[in-house]
Amino acid sequence: MPPSQGTAVAAFRFHRALVDYPTVEPAGTIIIDTPNTYLYLTIGHGKAIRYGIGVGREGFTWSGTERISRMKEWPDWFPPQEMIKRQPYLPRFMAGGETNPLGARAMYLGNTEYRIHGTNQPSTIGSFVSSGCIRLTNEDVEDLYRRVTIGTKIERR
C-alpha cells in the first residue's frame, strides 16, 4: 500500500472483537448499529463478532432489512448519479485496487446502491462520513467477507 494510503489506524474501541450480544436474530445475521458505529455478525449462544464501522452522514442513512445480493473482491467503483450531482469532480469509474474507495471487498445490499465495503482510510472508522454505505477497515471487511454468503440478512437499526 502506498505510504499515504491507509497508514492511520482505527481507534482501539473499533477493533474487531468477540462480544456478548444477546439477540433473537439467528446466527449469521448482520446487525448494523448506526448510532454507535458498530456492525455485529451474530454467531449464536449470545455472542457476536463486533466490527467498527463508518456510516452515512446526516441525511444519508437508511434503516430496515436487506440481504447480500452480490459479493466482489477488489470491486470496481461507479459513483451513483446522485453522488456525481453533489460532487461533479468525481471520476465516473475507478478500477478495483488499493486506491479504490470501496477497498478490498464489497457486499451489495439487495437492489439498493448501498454496500458494506472496505476503506483505504481506516481513520474514518467510527465516523459519520459516507453517502449511506457501511465501511470497515480492509482487514475487517476481508474477515467479514469470509464469514458471510449471498443471502445473508442485514438488519440496520
Side-chain angles (χ1 to χ4, degrees):
M1 191 174 297
S4 63
Q5 294 287 326
T7 54
V9 295
F12 181 76
R13 76 180 193 95
F14 296 113
H15 288 197
R16 180 177 0 134
L18 179 63
V19 297
D20 291 329
Y21 193 77
T23 181
V24 297
E25 296 292 344
T29 301
I30 293 173
I31 300 171
I32 300 169
D33 179 354
T34 301
N36 294 305
T37 61
Y38 287 120
L39 179 153
Y40 295 89
L41 175 62
T42 62
I43 59 174
H45 307 290
K47 300 281 186 190
I49 301 170
R50 183 186 69 199
Y51 302 85
I53 57 174
V55 297
R57 62 190 180 275
E58 186 68 34
F60 291 93
T61 60
W62 57 274
S63 62
T65 303
E66 286 293 342
R67 293 200 177 266
I68 294 175
S69 57
R70 187 164 68 102
M71 298 172 63
K72 181 84 172 121
E73 295 184 19
W74 295 106
D76 294 336
W77 183 52
F78 298 88
Q81 287 303 312
E82 297 80 22
M83 187 180 282
I84 290 171
K85 285 179 191 171
R86 291 188 311 274
Q87 301 168 309
Y89 54 84
L90 288 174
R92 299 315 185 249
F93 167 81
M94 274 186 94
E98 291 182 350
T99 59
N100 183 305
L102 296 183
R105 305 287 183 272
M107 291 153 273
Y108 297 78
L109 308 184
N111 292 322
T112 72
E113 292 187 357
Y114 297 116
R115 296 167 292 273
I116 296 171
H117 63 79
T119 183
N120 298 315
Q121 298 176 312
S123 63
T124 64
I125 301 303
S127 301
F128 296 80
V129 294
S130 76
S131 293
C133 289
I134 304 302
R135 62 173 68 175
L136 293 86
T137 64
N138 278 332
E139 180 180 323
D140 281 353
V141 81
E142 288 175 16
D143 181 79
L144 180 64
Y145 187 94
R146 286 189 295 270
R147 297 174 187 272
V148 299
T149 60
I150 291 174
T152 294
K153 179 181 174 184
I154 298 122
E155 185 76 32
R156 184 157 185 183
R157 300 175 177 163

